[in-house]
Amino acid sequence: MTLRGYTPRITGHQCTRILAGSALVLTFFTIGASAQTQPGENKPAPEIYQTFYLSNITQQRDANDIQTDLRNMLPHARMYYVDSQNAISIRGTAEDIQTAQKILSEVDRARKVYRLTYSIIESDDDKTVRTRRISLVVLSGGRTELKQGSRVPIVTGTTDAASSSANTQVQYADVGITIEASLETSENGVHLRTRIEQSSVADEKSSAAAQDPVIHQTSLEGVSSLVAGKPLALGSIDIPGTTHREEIEVVAEPLG
């Protein structure tokens, strides 16, 4: 006997059972899902565009540093720096634009401005003979250079010396004082990198050529940490041939 009209039940496994003494065969089938439901692919977030204007950029290096920061923090966004406008155009997701805005608000800040006053003090036996002061205004992260003096001609050669149309070749040397200063500020104070060079024409003549001057020169270069408003001695030197001594000090004062 065969059972007809029977619909097998889906149970998660297959089982066949034969009853002794009869022709009844019950077969249970496992019918699995033909395919698992695949989740829909994530659609990319829509992109937007925005231009940010940098208000405190003073050097190309500053713009390069900001671009590098943004590119590392926003690797999927596209950006371009417009040098003539001090602006960065960015195309990315809304989250990218929001992050860029936060980064720029933290790195594009107004820089402090300082007045550096250098004092060149000449003394004799601890008695001040003369004091010369020179002031520079330096932006934090920037550099200022000052030159004061004369240009002294130095004959370097003569062509066709026996001819009436001889040409004399002349070069010029800067004589006087040159000061270069650059500042970096941090939580610990002001860090100054400076170079001071003084030169003068000596009374004696050169042994190589009588028309060439002899130039005396003194140079000081170094890095110092300053406390705003407090003078710092950068160095001192004895003036040859005299009992005088020269000392150079500097003080930094914030402006604004």
Side-chain angles (χ1 to χ4, degrees), residues 14-114:
Q14 176 177 314
C15 176
T16 301
R17 183 178 181 184
I18 302 176
L19 299 180
S22 69
L24 177 62
V25 178
L26 301 178
T27 302
F28 298 90
F29 298 90
T30 297
I31 303 177
S34 59
Q36 294 182 352
T37 303
Q38 298 295 331
E41 296 183 356
N42 294 329
K43 295 182 179 179
E47 293 185 335
I48 58 178
Y49 162 85
Q50 188 166 338
T51 296
F52 297 92
Y53 291 91
L54 309 178
S55 56
N56 299 293
I57 295 297
T58 59
Q59 304 178 70
Q60 182 63 42
R61 185 189 68 180
D62 300 334
N64 293 339
D65 289 344
I66 289 178
Q67 286 185 87
T68 301
D69 187 7
L70 290 173
R71 292 184 193 279
N72 289 336
M73 298 303 295
L74 306 171
H76 301 296
R78 288 169 288 176
M79 60 194 70
Y80 181 77
Y81 175 68
V82 184
D83 187 24
S84 61
Q85 301 294 323
N86 273 354
I88 294 182
S89 299
I90 301 178
R91 184 177 183 86
T93 64
E95 183 179 355
D96 288 338
I97 300 299
Q98 184 178 5
T99 302
Q101 188 172 14
K102 184 176 186 299
I103 292 173
L104 291 174
S105 68
E106 295 174 350
V107 300
D108 182 29
R109 293 184 177 181
R111 298 189 176 188
K112 294 183 178 180
V113 181
Y114 288 84

Side-chain angles (χ1 to χ4, degrees), residues 148-166:
Q148 185 183 43
S150 305
R151 292 176 63 83
V152 176
I154 300 175
V155 177
T156 59
T158 303
T159 59
D160 298 329
S163 171
S164 60
S165 60

Side-chain angles (χ1 to χ4, degrees), residues 184-202:
E184 295 290 345
T185 57
S186 68
E187 295 180 355
N188 298 324
V190 180
H191 304 287
L192 169 67
R193 179 181 296 275
T194 191
R195 185 177 73 88
I196 304 172
E197 186 176 287
Q198 294 186 88
S199 57
S200 61
V201 178

Side-chain angles (χ1 to χ4, degrees), residues 96-132:
D96 288 338
I97 300 299
Q98 184 178 5
T99 302
Q101 188 172 14
K102 184 176 186 299
I103 292 173
L104 291 174
S105 68
E106 295 174 350
V107 300
D108 182 29
R109 293 184 177 181
R111 298 189 176 188
K112 294 183 178 180
V113 181
Y114 288 84
R115 177 190 291 112
L116 295 177
T117 301
Y118 291 84
S119 297
I120 303 173
I121 305 167
E122 185 178 342
S123 60
D124 184 9
D125 292 333
D126 297 329
K127 180 180 178 181
T128 300
V129 175
R130 182 178 61 176
T131 299
R132 183 181 181 189

